[in-house]
Each structure stands twice: as C-alpha cells, then as structure tokens.
Amino acid sequence: MKDKIEKPEPHILVIFGASGDLAKRKLIPALYNLALQNLLPDEFAVIGVGRTDLSDDEFQEKMHNAINNFGKREKHEEKINSFVNKLFYVSLDTSNASEYKKLAERLRTLDEQLQTRSNVIFYLSTPPMLYTVIPKYLSGHGLNKSSNGSRRLIIEKPFGYGLQSARELNRDLLQYFDEHQIYRIDHYLGKETVQNVLVTRFSNGIFEPLWNSKYVNRVEVTSAESIGVEDRGGYFDTSGTLRDMIQNHLMQMVGLVAMEPPSSFDSNSVRNETLKVFQSLRPFELMDIPKNVIRGQYVESQIRGEKVNSYRHEKGVAENSRTETFVAIKFFIDNWRWGGVPFYIRSGKRLPTRVTEIVIHFKKTPHWLFGHYQSEGEACNQLVLRIQPDEGILLKFAMKVPGQGFNVQNVNMNFHYADLQNAYVPEAYERLLLDCMLGDSTLYTRGDAVEKLWEFIAPIQKAWDDDPLIPLYGYPAGTWGPESADDLIEGMNMTWRYPCKNLADDGQYCEL
C-alpha cells in the first residue's frame, strides 16, 4: 500500500463489457475523477470492448453522457471533453477467438501512438461465464505477456459460486495469467472507511492493546440495505445474500478487523495476515448450522403507509423461491488473539435503513460497581466504525448523570469524515483502479483467500441444499430480519446494535 498518492506509468485500460452498467455508472466516472485530480498518466487511453457496433465518436458521446448522469464531482465541459478524447472502442464477439486480432491491432497502434510502454490492464466487466474465455483468447494472441511492460487482469465478483467452482476458476485463470497479474476486485475494500479500520487499529495506542480476547466481548459486522432486489431479481434468485454479500464483502471486513499487525504495508504482508485469519476460522459442523446460521426472506409489509411486495413477488423471482434475502451468522476465529470471542455478521435486504458498520463490543469492568444503574449490555463500551453512510467513528462509554446518586448514562464521542474540511473522499473504484495502475494489489483479493472463504461457507451451502427442514424465516419488509437472529447473541440482555442512518445521535434521533 502506497504511503502517498503517486502518478502511475503510461497505461491502456481495456474494458470488456464497456456498454454495460458498471462501465457507465462506476468505471468511467471514476477515471474522470482521477483525471480531475491529475492522477492519470499523460499517456493514457481506454479501449471499450463490446458486441454493440459503435464508432469511437459514438462511444465517447455515450461516456460523456455517463459522466454527466452518474459522476458525483464537478462537471467541467472542457475537462470532460479532454478526458473522453482518450476513449476508443473495438466491437468484437468475445466468444470468438479470431476476433481478438482486432483488439491486438488496436492495442499495438495506440501503444505506438501514445507511447504507453506496453502497459495494459484488462478489466472484465462481463458475465462470469466469460472470466476464463476472455483470458484464454487474450493468451492465444500473446496479449497476456509483455517483454517491456506490465499486463494485468481485473475481474469482478463472483469469484465462483462455491468451493469447487472457485477452485476451477483459479486453476483456469492461472493457465493464462500469473497470480501477481490477477486483481480480484471487491469494491468494499476500496472504501476509504474500510481502509481506516487498519489506521484506527495500528496507529492508536489506546485501541490496539485492547484488540483481543482479554478485552473484547464480541465483534459485530452489519451490512443492511433498505431496498429490495429492484430489477436484479433474476440474478439475485440464483445467488442469495450468502453468496452475494457474506462470502466476500463482510468476511473481507472481518479479515481486516481480526488480522495481526503486518510487518509492513506492502501487498503480500497485508494479504498474508488476512489469509491467516481465514485459515483460523472454526469450521462448521453440519449439526450446528441451524443454531449458528439464521436465514430469512422478506415478506409483504407496509412501510410509511406504502405496500411493499414480498420477495417472491419481485420481478424475476420464482414463486416458490427459497433464496435467502437475510443471513446472520455466529462464528469463532480459533487463534491466540481471538480464542473464545464470538463474531457476528448479518446482511439483508428490505431492512429499516441502509448502513454498513463494524462494532467492537468491549467487556464490562471486572467488578460491576454500577450494576444497579446499567444493564449488562449498557456496561459494555462500544467502538463503532461506520463504513456508510454518515461515515465516521463512534465511541460509547458511561458517564454519571448530574445530581444525587450514581445514575449512569451512556454517552457518545464521535468523529465524522464530513468534519474534515476540504477533504475529498474518493470513490471505491477510483482508488482501486489507481492502485492497479500502480501495481499495488493490497486492496484486492488473492486466490488462496477466496478459496478459504468458500471453504468456510461450503458447509452452510451443503446444509441448506440437503436439509429442507432448516427454516427459512419470513420477516416483514422494513424490519431487522427474523426475530430468531437475536437468539444468536450470547449473554443476558445482549442483542445486536440496531443502527440508524445517522451515526452520532442514534439514541435520541433516528432517521430511517
């Protein structure tokens, strides 16, 4: 991980699936943001690749509109025009090996014209079925290797649909690209607030000494969405929350929370430490899954007076679907630092608010002097690392209420990213694209870690497939999931933290 932002070497970025949503909503606006900050090399170009027959001018016009529609920074017509002039387009059938000759010729021409030193990134913004097809055909035309530059491959999740398919994907990719060339992108790791987990831990002497089983009661990770599946019902019904959110985004955050201090902040050191966490996950026994893993599916409800459909009535969803829209899991990390500390993760759709956060629940004091004034849950200090929205950090601790006696009340000490004057928080794809150009894979997922996480999830998938008696709980849209998810939490009067959209005034004012 670089200590300071630097400008990368000349590059050509090839985006397969350039006419799709990801390119226009995220990738092109992110590149434009980098251009605004003067972080793109002067010798830079994008080649969009797709089946749609477009000229360079037509592609540039489409991406010009995309920046205006989806870009979140200031729109300068002159700067947009300057940026889109670096965009080019090649129409080809990605399933036809012979057509890659057109791409090879365009790359060679632009490399000579722009002097990009044969540095090329291939971004697969395509259906997963093409994740091995495209690298194979790139290799067939010698585009995976360069005698004097770098060749890198970015692929989006899903990195397989289970342990076996993940292993097969890794095996196939490694036939055509070396591991150091492969960048598996998880946009959650590109979020500024996720990276701040590492800084909060390792640069503060008040936190790191407490970051272990001696002082931590439990760790909780929540990623909630207030929306349903929207127009993704067809895709989501074949995936579900376990595959779509738990196996990747939430478990990657667990890796950052639980890892040991790396020897340095280079790519291998950081990713080696997160891998050790995944290797230490206590495997699930099939008989224990029903009481440690809760799954649910939202049902019809009313939210603010409006009727909300059940999941099974969403477009593209099977009428008798048993796909989970909510998952809560209790698990353990069996190593020296975390032995005996329960970790709880949950994610779901149609919950009360959109929020992602990590909560460290500290143990109560050894002698509970003020037990008459506090519940056990209130006696546990909390450190809340808010990923989104209202990004920041919240520390909850007890104070005496003024007046006679020792009435105790929890109070908040908080920091908001929004309080940093003139601080620009980059979008996740912005950071990750720049890192790839710099050859920094710290915030990308490595193949062995992907397989370890699928290995952890595999018993859950098998139990759900093999045992129809494991409940799929219904929960009304707009609630915090099945009530049985509360039963996972250990301890008297202990429960999940139920966050609000706003971070700091959660106990007084909650905007849902």
Side-chain angles (χ1 to χ4, degrees):
M1 188 179 292
K2 307 296 181 183
D3 294 328
K4 59 182 181 180
I5 297 177
E6 57 185 271
K7 205 166 181 175
E9 292 185 354
H11 264 88
I12 297 177
L13 173 63
V14 180
I15 302 177
F16 287 89
S19 57
D21 267 5
L22 182 64
K24 70 182 180 184
R25 290 175 179 270
K26 296 293 184 181
L27 303 183
I28 295 300
L31 291 168
Y32 170 68
N33 289 350
L34 291 174
L36 285 180
Q37 300 166 78
N38 196 31
L39 289 175
L40 288 180
D42 295 329
E43 305 85 1
F44 177 77
V46 174
I47 299 179
V49 177
R51 291 175 179 265
T52 308
D53 189 14
L54 295 173
S55 66
D56 288 345
D57 289 342
E58 290 171 327
F59 181 61
Q60 289 174 4
E61 184 180 355
K62 282 181 174 291
M63 295 305 106
H64 189 292
N65 293 336
I67 292 169
N68 278 322
N69 291 335
F70 303 110
K72 295 181 180 178
R73 296 201 68 184
E74 61 270 24
K75 316 292 196 317
H76 299 293
E77 195 66 21
E78 185 178 330
K79 291 182 179 179
I80 295 176
N81 288 334
S82 174
F83 170 73
V84 298
N85 284 336
K86 299 176 184 292
L87 309 185
F88 305 89
Y89 190 83
V90 173
S91 175
L92 62 81
D93 178 0
T94 49
S95 60
N96 186 338
S98 63
E99 295 223 342
Y100 284 72
K101 183 180 179 181
K102 292 190 289 186
L103 176 60
E105 291 173 351
R106 195 67 186 272
L107 276 171
R108 184 169 55 252
T109 301
L110 282 175
D111 184 44
E112 292 172 357
Q113 178 184 332
L114 301 175
Q115 295 296 299
T116 53
R117 305 177 197 171
S118 198
N119 295 318
V120 182
I121 296 172
F122 300 102
Y123 197 119
L124 306 193
S125 176
T126 65
M129 68 181 71
L130 295 173
Y131 285 178
T132 54
V133 174
I134 293 173
K136 177 182 177 180
Y137 293 154
L138 291 173
S139 173
H141 285 78
L143 297 176
N144 59 333
K145 305 290 183 184
S146 173
S147 57
N148 61 346
S150 64
R151 299 294 165 103
R152 300 182 181 123
L153 179 76
I154 300 179
I155 65 171
E156 285 273 347
K157 75 175 186 74
F159 314 125
Y161 293 95
L163 179 58
Q164 186 59 34
S165 60
R167 285 173 173 167
E168 290 172 358
L169 176 60
N170 281 337
R171 181 197 65 206
D172 292 344
L173 288 172
L174 290 172
Q175 291 184 59
Y176 314 115
F177 285 81
D178 296 330
E179 178 62 40
H180 71 86
Q181 295 178 285
I182 302 170
Y183 287 65
R184 299 169 187 82
I185 193 167
D186 183 337
H187 72 272
Y188 261 59
L189 294 183
K191 292 180 182 293
E192 194 74 19
T193 40
V194 171
Q195 298 158 44
N196 195 46
V197 173
L198 299 176
V199 177
T200 301
R201 281 191 60 186
F202 299 131
S203 70
N204 292 292
I206 61 173
F207 292 134
E208 180 55 28
L210 309 180
W211 216 268
N212 55 62
S213 61
K214 185 176 180 180
Y215 299 103
V216 175
N217 174 276
R218 69 185 190 273
V219 177
E220 184 182 315
V221 182
T222 293
S223 183
E225 295 182 46
S226 57
I227 61 173
V229 294
E230 305 298 291
D231 57 354
R232 297 172 69 236
Y235 159 76
F236 189 87
D237 208 39
T238 62
S239 175
T241 296
L242 186 70
R243 288 189 178 107
D244 194 47
M245 292 293 295
I246 298 290
Q247 186 273 339
N248 38 73
H249 301 327
L250 271 75
M251 291 306 298
Q252 290 293 342
M253 286 193 283
V254 168
L256 296 181
V257 170
M259 66 187 280
E260 293 297 317
S263 57
S264 64
F265 266 93
D266 65 89
S267 170
N268 281 333
S269 297
V270 172
R271 298 198 295 177
N272 285 344
E273 295 303 334
T274 55
L275 175 63
K276 289 177 187 176
V277 172
F278 303 149
Q279 290 170 332
S280 302
L281 292 167
R282 184 185 297 176
F284 282 114
E285 299 291 338
L286 289 177
M287 66 183 70
D288 294 330
I289 287 172
K291 63 182 180 183
N292 289 296
V293 182
I294 303 297
R295 60 175 174 168
Q297 186 184 96
Y298 63 83
V299 297
E300 183 180 305
S301 180
Q302 282 203 345
I303 300 178
R304 300 184 187 91
E306 286 188 27
K307 177 186 173 184
V308 175
N309 284 335
S310 68
Y311 172 72
R312 293 181 181 181
H313 286 92
E314 300 280 21
K315 182 180 177 182
V317 174
E319 290 183 5
N320 59 348
S321 173
R322 291 184 62 80
T323 298
E324 76 288 351
T325 62
F326 174 94
V327 176
I329 304 178
K330 171 187 172 184
F331 62 93
F332 292 89
I333 298 172
D334 289 335
N335 61 17
W336 190 268
R337 180 181 291 266
W338 296 111
V341 176
F343 281 69
Y344 300 92
I345 60 177
R346 62 176 172 172
S347 182
K349 294 188 178 295
R350 282 292 182 206
L351 301 185
T353 189
R354 171 181 173 265
V355 63
T356 301
E357 65 179 26
I358 298 162
V359 188
I360 311 298
H361 296 263
F362 294 99
K363 291 181 177 178
K364 65 181 190 294
T365 53
H367 181 42
W368 195 11
L369 281 173
F370 302 102
H372 293 296
Y373 306 100
Q374 290 177 292
S375 70
E376 186 174 358
E378 290 173 330
C380 296
N381 301 128
Q382 296 176 17
L383 178 66
V384 182
L385 305 170
R386 175 62 68 87
I387 308 303
Q388 63 184 17
D390 197 18
E391 294 86 349
I393 297 175
L394 171 66
L395 180 63
K396 300 177 81 72
F397 57 96
M399 291 288 287
K400 179 184 178 298
V401 176
Q404 288 187 319
F406 282 93
N407 290 326
V408 178
Q409 177 180 315
N410 274 348
V411 296
N412 294 340
M413 181 182 293
N414 57 83
F415 156 77
H416 297 260
Y417 266 83
D419 294 337
L420 292 176
Q421 294 298 317
N422 302 318
Y424 171 65
V425 180
E427 295 284 319
Y429 280 99
E430 197 176 317
R431 171 64 188 267
L432 293 169
L433 286 169
L434 180 61
D435 278 359
C436 186
M437 285 187 270
L438 293 170
D440 184 355
S441 56
T442 306
L443 300 176
Y444 286 83
T445 309
R446 207 164 61 189
D448 49 5
V450 169
E451 291 188 20
K452 270 295 167 189
L453 289 177
W454 278 121
E455 193 175 306
F456 174 66
I457 294 296
I460 303 174
Q461 293 178 298
K462 178 174 173 53
W464 289 355
D465 288 342
D466 293 351
D467 188 352
L469 297 180
I470 295 178
L472 173 67
Y473 297 98
Y475 64 94
T479 64
W480 277 107
E483 290 184 4
S484 52
D486 282 335
D487 298 335
L488 293 178
I489 307 290
E490 296 179 3
M492 287 287 292
N493 300 316
M494 295 287 194
T495 185
W496 296 90
R497 172 177 143 85
Y498 291 105
C500 302
K501 178 181 177 181
N502 51 293
L503 173 63
D505 298 323
D506 58 334
Q508 307 163 35
Y509 162 68
C510 191
E511 180 187 341
L512 295 180

